[in-house]
Amino acid sequence: DTAVSQTPKYLVTQMGNDKSIKCEQNLGHDTMYWYKQDSKKFLKIMFSYNNKELIINETVPNRFSPKSPDKAHLNLHINSLELGDSAVYFCASSQDLNSPLHFGNGTRLTVT
Amino acid sequence: KNEVEQSPQNLTAQEGEFITINCSYSVGISALHWLQQHPGGGIVSLFMLSSGKKKHGRLIATINIQEKHSSLHITASHPRDSAVYICAVPGASGSRLTFGEGTQLTVNP
């Protein structure tokens, strides 16, 4: 009965590869997010979708492409992975932009 | 952009002590979030408040909108409270949460 689940939990890959991280929420929330947490534990918004529509798109390289097939899913695809992409990526959801956030457990991406 | 500053960055306490973590922000907001990140990495939303005070168990969050300041208090602290505590505020448009750098709390038995 996990509220926000993301997979995989760990992802180790080589530079130049393409990888995806999946996220699903069963809370019935309208808004979903991707956050990046760097090595200094600093969280930063990457994308936000509301009802499958992109509403926040921070300054993120074009190699990162979110996809929301329905409002319960928000996947993150990363092309041509670089060393600097190594971080923990958190998916989250909320009823709307002014409601509490519910986070997934994070995906630790390591690019070698 | 709404700048967020937390203090202290690191805090070590003995079990039972009263803990206070502070958060200041630069732009007027509708609400402020307090989050907790455990050593295992998971992030939990503790509070979302727009005025006054909220209490949940041993945790109390207060906010002063005029002074653009919020505090998170932990009463009778316990080693299981050891975690990173993060405050976050929305940007001027109400979206794009900006996060503080977090306060690493360690409570020793």
Side-chain angles (χ1 to χ4, degrees):
Chain A
D1 59 345
T2 304
V4 181
S5 61
Q6 55 181 108
T7 56
K9 188 173 173 63
Y10 299 98
L11 184 53
V12 181
T13 188
Q14 292 184 325
M15 283 175 57
N17 285 346
D18 302 339
K19 290 294 179 184
S20 293
I21 308 172
K22 295 186 176 182
C23 180
E24 175 182 3
Q25 54 96 3
N26 62 4
L27 296 166
H29 288 165
D30 288 338
T31 308
M32 294 186 72
Y33 313 80
W34 277 109
Y35 292 95
K36 180 180 180 180
Q37 187 174 44
D38 60 25
S39 57
K40 295 184 179 179
K41 302 288 190 181
F42 196 58
L43 275 165
K44 192 169 182 181
I45 182 79
M46 299 175 70
F47 302 102
S48 177
Y49 271 70
N50 183 268
N51 263 318
K52 302 193 300 176
E53 287 192 24
L54 182 66
I55 56 171
I56 296 175
N57 185 355
E58 285 298 290
T59 307
V60 176
N62 291 337
R63 299 180 294 102
F64 290 79
S65 54
K67 285 189 171 50
S68 182
D70 55 62
K71 75 172 193 176
H73 295 83
L74 180 60
N75 304 321
L76 183 64
H77 189 75
I78 316 170
N79 290 325
S80 303
L81 278 155
E82 300 178 355
L83 292 176
D85 297 332
S86 295
V88 181
Y89 293 85
F90 284 95
C91 176
S93 73
S94 64
Q95 184 53 49
D96 51 51
L97 288 174
N98 296 313
S99 297
L101 294 164
H102 296 256
F103 286 85
N105 288 328
T107 296
R108 181 174 294 278
L109 171 65
T110 304
V111 182
T112 62
Chain B
K1 182 181 173 176
N2 207 347
E3 302 296 333
V4 181
E5 287 192 8
Q6 280 186 241
S7 63
Q9 286 191 340
N10 292 284
L11 181 55
T12 300
Q14 288 300 121
E15 185 172 356
E17 285 185 8
F18 181 81
I19 305 291
T20 296
I21 299 170
N22 296 300
C23 177
S24 296
Y25 50 93
S26 58
V27 178
I29 61 170
S30 55
L32 178 144
H33 300 251
W34 278 104
L35 309 172
Q36 179 192 55
Q37 185 168 26
H38 272 285
I43 300 175
V44 175
S45 176
L46 296 175
F47 296 103
M48 181 178 172
L49 69 167
S50 55
S51 65
K53 179 167 82 173
K54 283 191 176 181
K55 186 175 188 291
H56 186 248
R58 295 180 295 104
L59 272 58
I60 303 166
T62 64
I63 189 167
N64 186 317
I65 296 293
Q66 287 74 28
E67 294 185 4
K68 298 186 176 63
H69 181 269
S70 176
S71 293
L72 177 68
H73 306 284
I74 305 175
T75 61
S77 60
H78 190 275
R80 65 174 173 266
D81 297 326
S82 298
V84 176
Y85 293 84
I86 304 167
C87 74
V89 299
S93 63
S95 62
R96 288 179 174 80
L97 280 182
T98 299
F99 294 84
E101 291 191 5
T103 295
Q104 173 70 62
L105 171 65
T106 303
V107 181
N108 294 318

